[in-house]
Amino acid sequence: MSRHDFSERDIHMALDGELPGDERAAYDAWLEANPEMKVKSARYVADRAALHAAFAGVLDEPVPARLQKIVFGETPVRTAGGRSRWWLAAAAAAVLAVGGAGGYVAGIDHIGLEDPANDQLAEQAIAAHVIYAAEKRHAVEVPASDKDHLQTWLSNRVGLKLVAPDLAAEGFQLVGGRLLPAGHGKAAMLLYEDDKGERISLFVTAESAGKAKGTYGSEENGPEAVYWLDKGYACAVVGSLPRAQLSSVAKSAYSQLLAGLAS
C-alpha cells in the first residue's frame, strides 16, 4: 500500500492496533507527509486519553446483567414511556458532553463555556503543539532570524495581519513559525522557548465569530491552551506552564496581536 492510499480510517485502525504491521512504515511516512492528518491523529490520541480518564473508575466494572440481555436481544428496549425516553435523552446528552467537550478545564471570566467550536480551536492548537514543540530540527518552517519574512508570509497565508509578539519579558524567545491547516482555513503557529528549553506556542487563525475566552486541557498533566476569540482573531497560547503563568503569557501575546492589528 502506498502512502497515497491511506485515509482517516487508517488513523483509527492504527490507534486501535488493527493496522497490519507491514504497512506501519508506509503509514508513518504518510503521516509525516500530511501534517493535517498528523494533527488529527494527535487529537484522537488526546481525545482517547480524556475519555479513558473520565471513565477510569468504571471501565473494569462488570456490565449489569439487564444491559447484557438488552445488547444480546434477550430483553426488548422500552422507549414508549416518559421514563425510558428521559433516560435515553440523558444518556445521549452525557455521551455528547464527553465527546464534544473533551477535556474542558475552566473558562476565564465564564465566557464561552459551552461552545464546542471554542474547544475545537483549543484542541487543534494543543495537537499542533504536541507534534511540533517536541521537534528539534524541524519544529518551524521559518526561523526567528527571518522574522520580517515570517510575519509577512503568515499574514498573507492566514488572511489577517499578524505580528510575532515579543515575550522576552515573560522569559521566552521566538524560535520561528509555520503554517498549519485549520478546519477549512489556515493557521499560523509561532513557537517560543525559554532558557531551560521549555516551549510554548501561539496558534492564530482568522475567526469572524463573536467574543469568547477560556482555558482548555485535553488530558491530565498535558499541555493546556488559553484562548481568545475577538476582533477577527482566534488565538490560543499552549504550554505546560503553571496556569497563572500561562495566562499571563497569553494576555501579553494577545494584547500585542491586537496592537499590531491597530498599527
Side-chain angles (χ1 to χ4, degrees), residues 154-226:
L154 290 177
S155 295
N156 291 336
R157 292 295 184 272
V158 176
L160 48 78
K161 186 175 181 180
L162 179 65
V163 298
D166 182 353
L167 301 178
E170 283 73 34
F172 288 88
Q173 300 293 333
L174 179 67
V175 176
R178 63 169 52 248
L179 186 68
L180 295 171
H184 298 293
K186 300 174 182 177
M189 176 181 169
L190 299 173
L191 189 66
Y192 292 80
E193 185 176 81
D194 67 9
D195 56 4
K196 297 178 181 178
E198 182 73 28
R199 287 180 169 181
I200 61 172
S201 60
L202 174 62
F203 185 92
V204 185
T205 188
E207 175 58 62
S208 59
K211 298 182 179 181
K213 53 185 174 179
T215 303
Y216 179 98
S218 60
E219 59 180 297
E220 187 176 0
N221 299 323
E224 291 186 351
V226 178

